[in-house]
Amino acid sequence: MTPHLPQLLGEIYRNESRLIFAALVRLLGDFDLAEDAMHDAFKTALEQWRKKGIPSNPRAWLVSTGRFKAIDLIRRQSKFDPLQAVHAEQMVAETVDPSSQVDKAIEDDMLRLIFTCCHPALSLDARTAMTMREVCDLTTEAIASAFLVTPATMAQRIVRAKAKIREAKIPFEVPPEHELPDRMDAVLQVIYLVFNEGYYTSSGGSAIRVDLSSEAIRLGRLLHTLLPEPEAAGLLGLMLLHESRRSARTTPTGDLILLEDQNRSLWDRHLIAEGLSLVAHAFSSKPAGPYALQAAIAALHAEAAHSDATDWAQIAGLYGLLLRIHPSPIIELNRAIAIAMHKGPEAGLRQIDAILERGELNSYHLAHSARAELCRKLGQIADARASWERALALAQQDPERRFIERKLSELGAASYPD
C-alpha cells in the first residue's frame, strides 16, 4: 500500500499528462478518445498501484493502460458498429504493447501534436487556440485572455477546430521538409503564447508557471533543431533571455518584483549568453522578423548592468520597427512605456491615453497599470488612483492584485491636485 499515492498521481498528472496525452493521440489517432483514455488510465492507476505497487516506468504504464482502455471501449461500441470492431483489431495488431516504445517516441510527440493542431486547414487563431488547449491543457479562460476575446468565443473556436481535424482526417505527423516553412508561423505563435502564459500567468495564485515556460523552451529547442531558420532562433533567444530573469522576478513569498527593481546578479548568465548568440543568428538575414526584434529588445535589457544603463532610445526604436511589421496595440503600449523611460512620463502618457481612447486596451489591466504609474510620476495622484483601481478590477492573478493593492496603499488616503 502506498500512503501518498494520490499526491504522487497528482504530481505525475501535472508533470506528465500532456506528454501521455500526446502519446495516446499518436497511438489512437483521436483527440477525444485519447483524452478519455488518459483519464481512465489515471483512475486505473489509483486502484492498481495501491495493490500492486508503483511500476518502474509510470509514464509508459499509463500510456499502455490508456491505449488498452481505449481498445476495450471501441470493442464495446463494436457491438453496434462492425467498423469499430475492425478498428479495434487493427489497433491491437499494430502494437501489442507500446510501453517499450513510449519513452523514445514521446520525445517528438508534442512536436507532432503541435504541427497537427497547426495544420493549414485550420484558421490561424483556431490553430493556436487548439494547440494551447490540447497540447498545454490551458483552460478556455486562460486562452481567451491570451487572445483578448471572451471565453465563449474561444470555446467555439476550439470545438470547431477539433471537428475540422477529425473530419479532414489531418494526420498526426511533423510535415515533410518542403511544407515546413508554410507551417512555421502558426507553430511559432503557439510556442510564444504558451511561453507567455508560463512566464506571466494570466490568472490564479502564482505569477509564474514553470511547467509551461519550460515546455515552450523545450519545444522551441526542438523546432530550432528541426528547422534552424532565423525566426525560430529569434523566438528561442527571446524565451531564454526572459527565462534568465525568472529567479529575480518574484520574492520568496511570490510577490512581483518589477524589472527595474530586480537583483540582476540573480539573472542566469548561461541562458543570457545562449540567448545573445541566438539573437545574433536571428539577425543573420534581413529583414529581421518580429521574434528577432523582440529578442533584440530582451537582449538590450540583459546587457544593461543596471536599470539606469538601459538603452531606452534603442528599445523604443525597435518597438517602432516591430509595429510596422506586426501592428498590435500591446506592442504600441510597450513602445509608449519605452518612450516614457526615454523622454519622460508625459510623452509616454500621451501615447497611452491615445491607445485607451481608441478602446482597444480598455479591458487590459496592464495598460491601466502603466498609465497609473506615469500619472503617479507626474504627481497626478487622483488619476493614478483611478487607473490603479481600474487595473485592480481587471487583474485576475493574485500576485498582481497584491502588487496593485500595495501601489494604491502607497498613494495614501489623501488626494492631491493634478
Side-chain angles (χ1 to χ4, degrees):
M1 187 141 197
T2 307
H4 303 297
L5 183 58
Q7 294 92 323
L8 173 65
L9 278 170
E11 183 178 346
I12 292 173
Y13 186 89
R14 285 190 298 274
N15 296 332
E16 305 272 356
S17 63
R18 288 300 97 184
L19 297 173
I20 293 166
F21 171 73
L24 286 169
V25 172
R26 169 171 55 84
L27 293 165
L28 302 174
D30 182 276
F31 283 89
D32 292 333
L33 184 60
E35 191 76 33
D36 290 342
M38 181 186 71
H39 288 295
D40 284 345
F42 273 93
K43 290 177 185 176
T44 303
L46 187 60
E47 300 166 1
Q48 293 194 12
W49 293 6
R50 196 180 297 277
K51 299 174 183 177
K52 301 179 180 180
I54 299 167
S56 59
N57 190 332
R59 179 201 291 170
W61 189 97
L62 287 162
V63 171
S64 181
T65 299
R67 176 178 175 274
F68 284 112
K69 288 287 182 182
I71 291 172
D72 288 343
L73 175 62
I74 294 171
R75 280 173 169 162
R76 289 197 298 273
Q77 293 173 340
S78 70
K79 295 177 182 177
F80 309 98
D81 184 353
L83 290 177
Q84 291 280 43
V86 174
H87 183 203
E89 297 316 312
Q90 285 176 338
M91 290 174 61
V92 171
E94 285 171 4
T95 309
V96 175
D97 182 359
S99 63
S100 61
Q101 301 178 9
V102 67
D103 280 335
K104 179 180 178 182
I106 209 167
E107 291 302 318
D108 296 324
D109 279 339
M110 294 296 282
L111 196 58
R112 290 190 188 99
L113 188 56
I114 284 184
F115 273 107
T116 301
C117 292
C118 292
H119 195 276
L122 306 175
S123 70
L124 182 58
D125 283 348
R127 298 174 210 170
T128 309
M130 179 67 179
T131 306
M132 292 178 75
R133 179 68 191 93
E134 298 303 324
V135 176
C136 303
D137 202 25
L138 297 185
T139 65
T140 303
E141 290 75 15
I143 304 169
S145 175
F147 277 91
L148 302 179
V149 300
T150 66
T153 298
M154 185 53 60
Q156 290 174 354
R157 287 184 191 174
I158 293 169
V159 168
R160 287 196 296 265
K162 290 177 75 173
K164 183 71 174 180
I165 288 173
R166 184 171 56 252
E167 292 163 5
K169 294 182 170 51
I170 291 173
F172 182 70
E173 64 183 14
V174 175
E177 187 173 352
H178 69 277
E179 293 182 13
L180 278 174
D182 293 337
R183 303 274 290 275
M184 281 291 288
D185 285 348
V187 174
L188 290 170
Q189 185 185 26
V190 167
I191 296 174
Y192 179 62
L193 291 176
V194 171
F195 178 81
N196 280 348
E197 182 63 23
Y199 183 78
Y200 201 86
T201 307
S202 59
S203 62
S206 174
I208 299 169
R209 281 191 62 180
V210 178
D211 57 330
L212 291 181
S213 58
S214 298
E215 181 63 17
I217 289 171
R218 190 189 75 82
L219 292 172
R221 290 189 188 281
L222 276 175
L223 190 63
H224 185 244
T225 299
L226 180 69
L227 193 66
E229 56 98 35
E231 274 294 81
L235 176 57
L236 181 55
L238 173 64
M239 294 190 295
L240 293 177
L241 289 167
H242 282 315
E243 184 70 5
S244 71
R245 304 198 294 262
R246 175 159 56 86
S247 62
R249 291 181 56 232
T250 58
T251 67
T253 56
D255 289 327
L256 293 172
I257 302 174
L258 295 181
L259 177 62
E260 62 192 54
D261 299 322
Q262 290 174 15
N263 179 355
R264 299 189 178 211
S265 68
L266 297 177
W267 290 3
D268 188 322
R269 293 295 155 184
H270 295 292
L271 289 181
I272 289 174
E274 185 181 359
L276 293 176
S277 175
L278 287 160
V279 172
H281 174 57
F283 276 81
S284 63
S285 66
K286 303 292 182 181
Y291 296 110
L293 289 170
Q294 290 178 78
I297 293 168
L300 288 170
H301 286 299
E303 291 173 328
H306 49 83
S307 179
D308 292 341
T310 305
D311 190 342
W312 287 107
Q314 191 171 352
I315 288 174
L318 287 168
Y319 274 125
L321 291 174
L322 188 57
L323 269 174
R324 291 182 195 174
I325 64 172
H326 191 70
S328 159
I330 293 178
I331 293 172
E332 193 175 351
L333 173 66
N334 289 335
R335 178 174 175 269
I337 294 169
I339 289 172
M341 297 299 292
H342 174 47
K343 295 185 176 181
E346 190 171 357
L349 183 59
R350 284 196 300 268
Q351 300 276 336
I352 293 176
D353 281 344
I355 298 169
L356 290 173
E357 283 172 12
R358 297 199 305 265
E360 292 173 301
L361 294 181
N362 281 343
S363 298
Y364 187 53
H365 65 285
L366 293 180
H368 297 283
S369 293
R371 185 182 190 280
E373 185 60 16
L374 295 182
C375 287
R376 183 197 66 78
K377 289 181 178 180
L378 290 168
Q380 300 173 8
I381 304 304
D383 282 349
R385 181 178 292 109
S387 290
W388 279 127
E389 287 172 348
R390 176 63 174 155
L392 182 62
L394 293 168
Q396 298 183 41
Q397 183 198 97
D398 292 345
E400 198 160 47
R401 291 179 62 82
R402 293 197 300 270
F403 176 84
I404 295 171
E405 287 166 352
R406 286 198 305 275
K407 287 293 185 179
L408 279 166
S409 177
E410 289 168 5
L411 289 178
S415 251
Y416 298 93
D418 291 348

